[in-house]
Amino acid sequence: MSVSRQPGSPHPRLPLPEGQPDDLAAFQQWLSDAIPMVSALGISEMTRHDDSLTWQLALEPNLNDKGTGFGGALSAQTTLQGWCWVTLWLRERGLARDVVVAEASQRFLAPVTNDYRLVCKPTELNGPEQLANKLADRGKGRIALTHQLYCGETLCLEASGNYAVLPSR
């Protein structure tokens, strides 16, 4: 169900999972309601494994004029995926906090010519632990994430993002 709202009006938060993993299908539906462009990005599946978040995506809704992946759409997907990684990580810990992207960059290595997968994980192995410590000590923190986009076995894009968890309101 899509909720109509005006700019500047926040979307209601998804209730935190109580002692169980997030239902990623329900999270994806909430995400599509909260951020209208999500339903047009072609995300067919979200999975989590250890510290990674993987999306399967369709190329068709992200085509450019050359018939390959549109760089702007791919960049938006990496930024959104990082936001989701941090949001889901917080939700696992029973925290409902605001997350924002502080910095992002992309490197395009090969054209995206077919459906693809996008993998997001912490840049540093101890990144999640460092973020947990910063949240405990200061009530806010940042984490660097790395994204890799694969079309088949070909690495087509590498991206990085720095995401901030804001203090509780």
Side-chain angles (χ1 to χ4, degrees):
M1 177 180 119
S2 182
V3 175
S4 177
R5 66 183 201 275
Q6 296 298 312
S9 175
H11 188 77
R13 288 189 193 268
L14 183 65
L16 289 170
E18 296 186 19
Q20 58 195 10
D22 254 312
D23 174 348
L24 291 180
F27 179 80
Q28 186 175 343
Q29 181 57 55
W30 171 84
L31 190 64
S32 292
D33 291 343
I35 304 172
M37 73 176 271
V38 168
S39 59
L41 293 178
I43 304 167
S44 61
E45 183 182 11
M46 285 188 191
T47 56
R48 295 193 67 195
H49 184 262
D50 296 329
D51 273 342
S52 69
L53 175 63
T54 301
W55 290 358
Q56 301 295 326
L57 297 112
L59 175 59
E60 187 176 4
N62 300 295
L63 287 171
N64 64 17
D65 58 316
K66 295 162 216 45
T68 61
F70 174 56
L74 304 177
S75 296
Q77 290 166 358
T78 62
T79 301
L80 178 64
Q81 188 185 42
W83 182 91
C84 288
W85 187 100
V86 178
T87 299
L88 288 165
W89 183 88
L90 289 165
R91 290 173 58 76
E92 279 180 354
R93 286 147 186 83
L95 301 171
R97 302 285 290 279
D98 287 331
V99 176
V100 296
V101 61
E103 184 180 350
S105 64
Q106 301 81 31
R107 232 178 81 207
F108 298 90
L109 305 170
V112 177
T113 57
N114 209 331
D115 293 352
Y116 53 98
R117 75 184 180 284
L118 187 58
V119 180
C120 175
K121 59 186 174 186
T123 303
E124 298 178 21
L125 286 175
N126 65 346
E129 181 182 334
Q130 290 177 355
L131 177 57
N133 291 339
K134 288 177 189 173
L135 291 173
D137 294 345
R138 299 182 10 219
K140 62 182 181 177
R142 288 184 182 222
I143 187 167
L145 300 174
T146 301
H147 310 267
Q148 293 182 312
L149 185 154
Y150 293 92
C151 190
E153 295 305 312
T154 302
L155 178 61
C156 298
L157 176 145
E158 288 183 318
S160 61
N162 192 308
Y163 296 83
V165 178
L166 302 179
S168 295
R169 295 186 226 165

